[in-house]
Amino acid sequence: MIDLRSDTVTQPTAEMRRAMANAIVGDNVIDVDPTVDQLERETAAVLGKAAALFMPSGTMANQVGVRVHCERGTEFLCEADCHIYQYEQGAFAQLSGLVARTITGDCGVLGVEHLIGTIRPENEHMVRTRLLCLENTHNRWGGRVVPQESIDAACLWAHEQSLKTHLDGARIWNASAATGIDVARLAAPFDSVSVCFSKGLGAPVGSALAGSQAFIDEARRARKLFGGGMRQAGIIAAGALHALHNHRARLHFDHEAAQQIAYEASRLPALSIRGGRVDTNIVILDIDPLWGTASELQSRLFASGLDCFAIDDQAIRLVTHMNVTPEQVQRAGCILRDVMAMVGTMH
């Protein structure tokens, strides 16, 4: 089976397993786990922030971030298809009493032109707007890299309106690899940024939240509240640290593999690439309803040896990663072509 469901399905390398087995650990709730501490310090430095906090998941990193920035009963702005809104169970409402105001961007990109007029006036009838959240790369728009000039302008606008800014940078490593822009530059306009180690970088567990020291001090309290305090967490932090040191330089291989799959898909008339392009390691294919549905295509691909996700009624997502070989990428393109040739057997 060629597993392209997500870049989270990777297996730790032998070197990563050794690093995890040999990690120096301590109780990171009572005081300090030295390996977690090293990971946090290095992550903060890479992102150009004062401090960082190790998290068990990207969802927790995002939800702690929005909670610390916003008082209960306030609102944040976000793109309508973003992960924080679509894939985190509305946790901002359930856990922190916050409201999301979703704004439809241009292929996932929120420009200042989309944001003007979205801040609530100071009025006792209305919720107060406190935060702007952006996502880079943008998952539901096929790993789209958000142009840095758009991010700079949106964050400048937000700060001029006295809003805080948060980046869901789960795949910021991919954005950096695709553009050649340093990760710290990508993160610079934001008051906080979340990053993931278990997606493109191939660690088994873990994310981080970065920002000012005062922000991270509050975030640590919120992490404990959410059940994210972990004791001898250096064992998993060592995997993340190994990934940070060794797996960023190879991300362009995943991007090239995604381009190869996208090229094969572009030759098939019943499929279209969402947004018309593939920037990084995610390929989202919209399916002509005359051919069939996403669940039908997903089932037929699975039966032929290719696993992917149906992300809505008429779209599938394929994600390349470090455990996919060039031969599997080529085979995936052939499977896609052969299955799509079954038109007429569907509807």
Side-chain angles (χ1 to χ4, degrees):
M1 183 63 66
I2 302 168
D3 193 345
L4 300 183
R5 289 173 298 170
S6 178
D7 45 6
T8 62
V9 302
T10 54
Q11 295 287 311
T13 63
E15 295 82 3
M16 183 181 287
R17 289 177 187 271
R18 278 196 292 273
M20 295 171 70
N22 295 326
I24 301 170
V25 299
D27 190 320
N28 199 52
V29 176
I30 291 178
D31 43 40
V32 176
D33 179 299
T35 307
V36 172
D37 183 63
Q38 182 185 353
L39 175 64
E40 291 173 341
R41 289 176 186 276
E42 291 195 22
T43 301
V46 166
L47 293 170
K49 302 301 183 189
L53 188 66
F54 188 44
M55 296 279 189
S57 71
T59 294
M60 186 178 288
N62 282 332
Q63 293 303 323
V64 167
V66 297
R67 180 187 181 90
V68 174
H69 284 310
C70 300
E71 315 93 70
R72 179 171 288 275
T74 59
E75 178 180 72
F76 65 92
L77 310 176
C78 63
E79 206 280 324
D81 278 321
C82 75
H83 194 281
I84 288 175
Y85 184 74
Q86 293 282 348
Y87 295 124
E88 300 182 13
Q89 280 194 32
F92 49 84
Q94 295 200 63
L95 302 178
S96 298
L98 304 177
V99 179
R101 182 167 187 171
T102 59
I103 306 159
T104 301
D106 179 9
C107 296
V109 177
L110 278 184
V112 174
E113 67 273 18
H114 302 106
L115 296 169
I116 290 172
T118 58
I119 295 179
R120 309 282 183 179
E122 185 62 33
N123 182 307
E124 66 180 33
H125 299 283
M126 294 185 180
V127 68
R128 287 169 166 157
T129 312
R130 288 289 182 258
L131 173 69
L132 171 65
C133 294
L134 300 178
E135 183 177 330
N136 192 21
T137 64
H138 197 299
N139 181 358
R140 278 186 62 84
W141 279 94
R144 170 67 54 92
V145 175
V146 181
Q148 193 60 29
E149 58 270 22
S150 173
I151 285 177
D152 289 343
C155 289
L156 177 62
W157 173 87
H159 289 140
E160 287 174 345
Q161 313 303 317
S162 300
L163 303 186
K164 296 295 186 181
T165 54
H166 172 74
L167 174 65
D168 178 353
R171 293 184 176 90
I172 195 173
W173 321 112
N174 296 87
S176 178
T179 61
I181 301 173
D182 185 73
V183 171
R185 173 66 185 91
L186 296 177
F190 294 93
D191 296 298
S192 62
V193 54
S194 65
V195 298
C196 192
F197 304 111
S198 63
K199 295 187 170 71
L201 298 190
V205 184
S207 290
L209 180 66
S212 69
Q213 186 63 60
F215 173 84
I216 292 301
D217 289 344
E218 286 301 308
R220 187 178 177 94
R221 287 185 58 84
R223 183 185 67 177
K224 185 70 169 70
L225 174 68
F226 287 175
M230 298 178 288
R231 302 289 181 176
Q232 283 73 17
I235 292 170
I236 52 175
L241 197 59
H242 181 88
L244 188 65
H245 290 166
N246 297 286
H247 293 169
R248 291 168 61 195
R250 58 153 309 281
L251 288 172
H252 66 95
F253 292 117
D254 298 342
H255 299 178
E256 291 162 9
Q259 290 288 346
Q260 189 174 338
I261 292 169
Y263 172 74
E264 293 296 335
S266 71
R267 301 166 67 192
L268 303 170
L271 296 177
S272 58
I273 296 167
R274 180 167 293 183
R277 57 194 262 194
V278 171
D279 289 349
T280 53
N281 67 323
I282 301 176
V283 182
I284 293 182
L285 301 176
D286 292 307
I287 305 155
D288 185 339
L290 293 176
W291 187 91
T293 66
S295 62
E296 289 167 335
L297 177 54
Q298 190 273 337
S299 295
R300 286 184 176 247
L301 290 172
F302 185 82
S304 298
L306 174 59
D307 204 1
C308 64
F309 276 142
I311 63 166
D312 56 40
D313 290 345
Q314 294 301 140
I316 62 167
R317 187 187 79 162
L318 304 102
V319 186
T320 55
H321 51 79
M322 62 188 298
N323 285 169
V324 182
T325 66
E327 294 75 23
Q328 287 179 315
V329 172
Q330 185 176 12
R331 178 68 185 141
C334 293
I335 293 171
L336 190 61
R337 183 186 65 227
D338 293 345
V339 167
M340 292 307 296
M342 297 175 183
V343 67
T345 65
M346 303 296 293
H347 291 288

